Amino acid sequence: KSNSKKKNKNKRSKGTSAHADTVNAGDTKPIWSTADECTHYAALGCHIANIARCRPASKSRSNRKFKCTTTASMSAYTCSEYRETYEIAMQQYPWLLGIERFDSSEYHPEDIENIPEVAMNDGEDEDDDMVLTLTNVTKNTTNICFVTVYDVDLCDANGNILKSGVASTTTPATHETTDDGDDNGKMDAKQNPSNSTTATKERKCTTFIIICPPQTFVHLCSLAPNQSQLSSTGKIPITSWSQVEIESDVQPWSFHPNIEDEHPYLLHFPFHAAGKEISEKATRTTYQCTQSEDGQLTHFFHGNFHAIDFACPIGTLLYSPVNGIVVDVHDRVDGEEMNGDSNKVEVSGIAASNMFHWNSLMIRVDDDAEKLKGKDATTAVSKDEPIDPLYVEFVHIESNSCVVQVGDVVQKGQLLCRSGSVGFSPEPHLHLAAYRSNGNDAATVRVRFEQVPSRVDSGESCSGRGTENEAANEGGIKEEKAVSFLPRTGGWY
């Protein structure tokens, strides 16, 4: 099977281009550095410290595009590597209170088993800082950790208040009754949105995203002094972490098995409707890539590594990037029950628990999609499966916005849905990911976008201000050839 894939790798099929290796850097504005990316998300309340990726590359490891490959980061650390990793991390993430190595010899075995993943130290004396510490006492497992702290101010190493963000819950549309008390069958809000109401609740919170090496304690923050909380009897001073709501999700780092895996199919830009020549208006509207492959916020594990995020307002029209058939649609509320009510809630913002609730739409790529009409899209049929399968997914889409359903055949540039901010989403954006299968544990694959010719002056194209598709002449009509581009974090496309 592996040899078969290698043989087909360089074959050109429908939807591919000889220029598939061409990268367009996008706008003339500089691409974000790692620090730029972390600063962007810190302003939204997400404080990132990917400590394991600070591990220095040894002479025995290949010097690749990524300074610290995921595979290398999973292997055992030497004492010197721990020390160097911590030093680099403290320079790169100066807001941290500190990092120290866990020494099992200092603890009784039964005590080690009881060390919590998120440790809360109230301080021995009244003047001591109340410190929040992330722990990883495993010997060889690197953990991905999301920790959210609600409703309080937190301080960094210099005593400055860390920027907080918001987590929101929205109850789904309820349906008004008529004056005579009849509910008229409770018409679906999608059919009659004017006859529905929603309620949104927002909570202040701060989230930490840490890739923590084994046998490591990470001192995240301290509780800002002189804070209180309301009770039935008035304001009560906060003197213990037990008074603060904290939620966390800690899992082993599921690294990507092949970060250079790339599919030859070229995607249509998802913000443009169908048309060989992109209009000048569409060309002038650009979207910033706020996270690309190997991103700092969430694009560091196998199911997200090659994903691309584009910031866009809620309600932005999204068009199909491929020809194919819709195999999965989730654009309904998918949150937890609220107060025992049968109605679900929609979640958004930076709460760690939002990682498990989102809206999405997935398409199986097939340029001969017309033959798929009438097929059962939810069942994998070997004779219908392309030689080099590809599945493309939109995530965080607006609830009740899909105009297609499972089984529909779609073409590039066809309207699918609207963008949203449902799930773990610091800001409204489109999360686009591609996979070689639609399995729940599928790893992502790199895909590039086709850059089509457009009738505009100055050599601009639908992907931003690039140099790969220069005007055929000074008159400004572009040469009739497609080139590809791979969005990079911070670029405009």
Side-chain angles (χ1 to χ4, degrees):
K1 186 175 180 181
S2 176
N3 291 335
S4 175
K5 284 187 177 181
K6 289 182 180 178
K7 290 179 181 178
N8 288 312
K9 184 176 180 181
N10 295 320
K11 287 186 177 180
R12 292 185 61 191
S13 58
K14 294 181 180 180
T16 65
S17 167
H19 302 275
D21 290 331
T22 304
V23 175
N24 185 329
D27 206 302
T28 54
K29 297 177 182 178
I31 303 302
W32 287 353
S33 65
T34 296
D36 293 332
E37 192 172 350
C38 291
T39 299
H40 174 81
Y41 286 110
L44 299 172
C46 293
H47 301 275
I48 300 168
N50 293 335
I51 298 167
R53 295 204 288 187
C54 293
R55 184 179 185 180
S58 67
K59 294 180 180 179
S60 61
R61 301 191 198 111
S62 58
N63 184 16
R64 304 177 65 182
K65 174 184 175 182
F66 305 104
K67 178 180 178 181
C68 181
T69 67
T70 52
T71 304
S73 296
M74 306 304 285
S75 59
Y77 283 69
T78 64
C79 291
S80 62
E81 284 182 324
Y82 271 115
R83 184 174 58 255
E84 291 181 61
T85 298
Y86 295 168
E87 290 175 354
I88 294 171
M90 288 304 298
Q91 293 173 3
Q92 190 162 330
Y93 311 110
W95 57 269
L96 287 171
L97 303 188
I99 310 172
E100 62 178 294
R101 186 177 179 187
F102 166 70
D103 186 351
S104 59
S105 65
E106 297 179 356
Y107 297 82
H108 294 294
E110 59 271 20
D111 291 335
I112 295 176
E113 296 178 0
N114 295 322
I115 294 177
E117 292 173 329
V118 181
M120 297 167 281
N121 185 354
D122 290 338
E124 295 181 2
D125 300 320
E126 186 176 340
D127 295 332
D128 288 347
D129 287 338
M130 296 170 57
V131 176
L132 194 67
T133 299
L134 185 68
T135 73
N136 183 358
V137 299
T138 64
K139 292 184 178 180
N140 298 305
T141 302
T142 297
N143 286 336
I144 296 177
C145 314
F146 287 79
V147 181
T148 299
V149 184
Y150 287 95
D151 303 324
V152 293
D153 288 330
L154 305 172
C155 292
D156 64 12
N158 297 315
N160 300 316
I161 301 296
L162 290 167
K163 182 72 174 177
S164 60
V166 169
S168 66
T169 58
T170 302
T171 56
T174 57
H175 313 290
E176 304 291 345
T177 59
T178 57
D179 291 339
D180 59 3
D182 248 351
D183 63 4
N184 290 331
K186 292 196 173 182
M187 180 183 291
D188 192 324
K190 195 170 184 177
Q191 296 173 292
N192 188 12
S194 63
N195 194 34
S196 63
T197 59
T198 60
T200 299
K201 294 182 179 180
E202 292 187 347
R203 291 187 67 183
K204 169 184 173 179
C205 62
T206 307
T207 292
F208 300 94
I209 301 170
I210 314 294
I211 301 183
C212 185
Q215 297 185 311
T216 297
F217 286 175
V218 183
H219 304 299
L220 297 175
C221 63
S222 60
L223 188 69
N226 304 320
Q227 297 189 77
S228 60
Q229 59 184 196
L230 290 174
S231 72
S232 57
T233 59
K235 289 186 177 181
I236 301 176
I238 298 177
T239 58
S240 170
W241 282 107
S242 63
Q243 298 172 260
V244 180
E245 183 178 347
I246 299 175
E247 66 182 25
S248 62
D249 179 63
V250 179
Q251 298 182 21
W253 186 6
S254 57
F255 58 92
H256 198 287
N258 179 14
I259 61 176
E260 300 297 344
D261 188 21
E262 181 170 335
H263 198 285
Y265 192 96
L266 297 186
L267 304 186
H268 175 81
F269 197 55
F271 298 101
H272 291 163
K276 184 176 180 181
E277 295 174 355
I278 305 300
S279 67
E280 182 174 356
K281 180 180 179 180
T283 302
R284 302 290 178 182
T285 303
T286 56
Y287 299 86
Q288 188 172 33
C289 174
T290 52
Q291 194 180 189
S292 57
E293 64 179 51
D294 195 34
Q296 297 298 306
L297 184 74
T298 54
H299 295 181
F300 41 67
F301 59 95
H302 77 282
N304 259 8
F305 190 91
H306 298 98
I308 304 293
D309 289 353
F310 292 104
C312 54
I314 293 175
T316 301
L317 296 180
L318 301 178
Y319 301 91
S320 179
V322 300
N323 301 322
I325 185 167
V326 179
V327 295
D328 194 35
V329 173
H330 290 286
D331 71 335
R332 299 284 183 171
V333 172
D334 189 27
E336 297 293 339
E337 291 187 0
M338 177 179 287
N339 299 326
D341 193 293
S342 59
N343 288 331
K344 301 289 187 177
V345 297
E346 176 184 293
V347 298
S348 183
I350 62 172
S353 57
N354 290 3
M355 295 293 293
F356 305 99
H357 306 288
W358 63 88
N359 288 343
S360 61
L361 181 150
M362 179 177 281
I363 300 171
R364 189 180 81 184
V365 176
D366 194 320
D367 279 325
D368 295 323
E370 288 298 321
K371 72 181 182 182
L372 297 175
K373 284 187 175 180
K375 302 284 186 182
D376 181 1
T378 62
T379 303
V381 181
S382 59
K383 65 180 181 180
D384 290 333
E385 190 77 10
I387 296 175
D388 196 5
L390 182 67
Y391 293 79
V392 178
E393 184 176 39
F394 287 175
V395 181
H396 307 302
I397 61 177
E398 187 176 18
S399 293
N400 303 320
S401 71
C402 287
V403 296
V404 295
Q405 58 187 357
V406 172
D408 284 355
V409 171
V410 297
Q411 302 294 324
K412 285 185 177 181
Q414 179 178 332
L415 180 64
L416 298 179
C417 58
R418 297 189 299 270
S419 68
S421 193
V422 179
F424 184 83
S425 180
E427 60 185 338
H429 69 284
L430 168 65
H431 173 99
L432 187 153
Y435 309 87
R436 293 188 180 273
S437 81
N438 63 340
N440 291 333
D441 202 39
T444 57
V445 60
R446 178 186 297 141
V447 286
R448 299 176 189 265
F449 293 85
E450 59 187 2
Q451 181 171 297
V452 299
S454 58
R455 292 182 178 276
V456 296
D457 295 332
S458 76
E460 290 188 8
S461 71
C462 71
S463 62
R465 298 178 180 86
T467 58
E468 301 296 340
N469 218 6
E470 298 297 335
N473 53 59
E474 294 184 0
I477 297 180
K478 288 186 178 299
E479 186 178 331
E480 292 291 323
K481 69 175 183 179
V483 293
S484 68
F485 66 98
L486 181 66
R488 292 189 284 175
T489 308
W492 293 80
Y493 300 90

